[in-house]
């Protein structure tokens, strides 16, 4: 339940704040450009101004405040600045630190709240996405039992890790060779891990991937009419599932493969 209640909502909420992150980035670039113009290369170059801008705008660090006040060599030795740098500091703090970052936190908090209320559905979606990702991966042909595949995978793992460590330890070996070896090993081992559980085409035709939890419905709505529609929709789905089960039992009892085509079309229709 840790992944359902915590990790999945966090990951999903991050996807919802992309627009706000773009706004913050462009506003930061605007302030950084203004500070570069005010400094005009006096305090140490663009990199020094960039680091000072990050300290000021994202952490409100004291060093960033002093550096902003001293842009362009303005002010006294104590770093009090003049009216131009003081006004720039005040505008930056109010616009970015107080307003924009608080709006960013509010948007992120609302996105997380919405994602947390649908945590179970989002978990089901992520699990379905992982299943689809694994099923479309390239797979090695089945030429041995699953137990032998495990032994073969372990042997390959030790070989690739050993050769990769040799490439790392030998100083004369190019780094590109070690990277290519690691990439080839990971790709080949993934092909071994995603081997299908069936061992023949006959078993594959009789296998089904059941997914009976639709995650595109809002079951937390307070609207009674909407709840009635959801219940009716779920009843229709369950009726189709029961019909598919009857057809599957009949097909397996008869021992033929022709009725399974109809069952598969029925399953596709209610998904």
């Amino acid at each position: 339940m840790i992944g359902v209640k915590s990790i999945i909502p966090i990951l999903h909420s991050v996807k919802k704040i992309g627009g706000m992150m773009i706004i913050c980035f462009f506003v930061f670039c605007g302030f950084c450009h203004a500070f570069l113009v005010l400094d005009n290369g006096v305090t140490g170059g663009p990199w020094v101004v960039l680091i000072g801008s990050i300290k000021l705008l994202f952490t409100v660090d004291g060093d960033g405040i002093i550096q902003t006040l001293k842009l362009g060599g303005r002010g006294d030795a104590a770093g009090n600045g003049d009216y131009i740098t003081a006004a720039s500091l005040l505008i930056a703090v109010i616009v970015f630190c107080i307003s924009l970052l608080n709006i960013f936190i509010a948007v992120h908090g609302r996105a997380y709240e919405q994602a947390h209320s649908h945590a179970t559905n989002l978990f089901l979606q992520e699990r379905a996405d992982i299943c689809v990702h694994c099923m479309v991966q390239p797979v090695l042909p089945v030429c041995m039992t699953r137990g032998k595949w495990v032994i073969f995978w372990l042997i390959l793992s030790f070989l690739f890790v050993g050769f990769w460590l040799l490439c790392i330890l030998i100083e004369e070996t190019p780094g590109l060779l070690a990277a290519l070896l690691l990439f080839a090993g990971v790709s080949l081992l993934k092909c071994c891990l995603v081997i299908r559980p069936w061992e023949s085409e006959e078993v594959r035709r009789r296998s089904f991937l059941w997914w009976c939890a639709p995650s595109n419905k809002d079951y937390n709505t307070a609207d009674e009419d909407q709840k009635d529609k959801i219940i009716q929709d779920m009843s229709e789905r369950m009726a189709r599932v029961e019909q598919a089960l009857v057809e599957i039992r009949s097909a397996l009892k008869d021992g033929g493969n022709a009725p399974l085509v109809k069952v598969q079309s029925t399953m596709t229709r209610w998904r």
Side-chain angles (χ1 to χ4, degrees), residues 123-144:
F123 174 76
L124 295 176
Q125 287 181 338
E126 292 293 332
R127 189 169 64 176
D129 184 70
I130 293 173
C131 292
V132 173
H133 178 74
C134 291
M135 294 183 70
V136 300
Q137 293 295 310
V139 59
L140 294 177
V142 179
C143 57
M144 61 183 75

Side-chain angles (χ1 to χ4, degrees), residues 33-182:
H33 181 263
F35 294 156
L36 286 171
V37 173
L38 288 174
D39 185 66
N40 199 21
V42 174
T43 60
W47 179 252
V48 176
V49 176
L50 175 62
I51 297 300
S53 302
I54 294 175
K55 291 181 179 180
L56 170 66
L57 298 177
F58 289 102
T59 65
V60 198
D61 183 72
D63 294 337
I65 295 174
I66 295 175
Q67 183 176 336
T68 303
L69 290 173
K70 295 172 63 176
L71 287 173
R74 292 177 170 84
D76 52 18
N80 294 321
D82 60 1
Y83 67 94
I84 296 179
T85 55
S88 301
L89 175 64
L90 183 63
I91 294 173
V93 170
I94 293 176
V95 173
F96 196 91
C97 301
I98 297 178
S99 301
L100 198 59
L101 290 185
N102 279 283
I103 294 174
F104 177 85
I105 294 172
V107 172
H108 192 194
R110 180 165 180 81
Y112 177 79
E113 182 181 357
Q114 293 177 351
H116 190 270
S117 63
H118 301 86
T120 303
N121 291 342
L122 294 174
F123 174 76
L124 295 176
Q125 287 181 338
E126 292 293 332
R127 189 169 64 176
D129 184 70
I130 293 173
C131 292
V132 173
H133 178 74
C134 291
M135 294 183 70
V136 300
Q137 293 295 310
V139 59
L140 294 177
V142 179
C143 57
M144 61 183 75
T145 61
R146 197 165 187 83
K148 293 181 179 180
W149 266 120
V150 173
I151 298 175
F152 178 69
W153 183 86
L154 291 174
I155 294 174
L156 281 181
S157 300
F158 282 114
L159 289 177
F160 275 111
V161 171
F163 283 116
W164 178 71
L165 289 176
L166 285 177
C167 293
I168 295 296
L169 295 176
I170 299 176
E171 297 181 356
E172 293 79 8
T173 305
L176 180 61
L177 179 61
L180 292 176
L181 181 62
L182 182 62

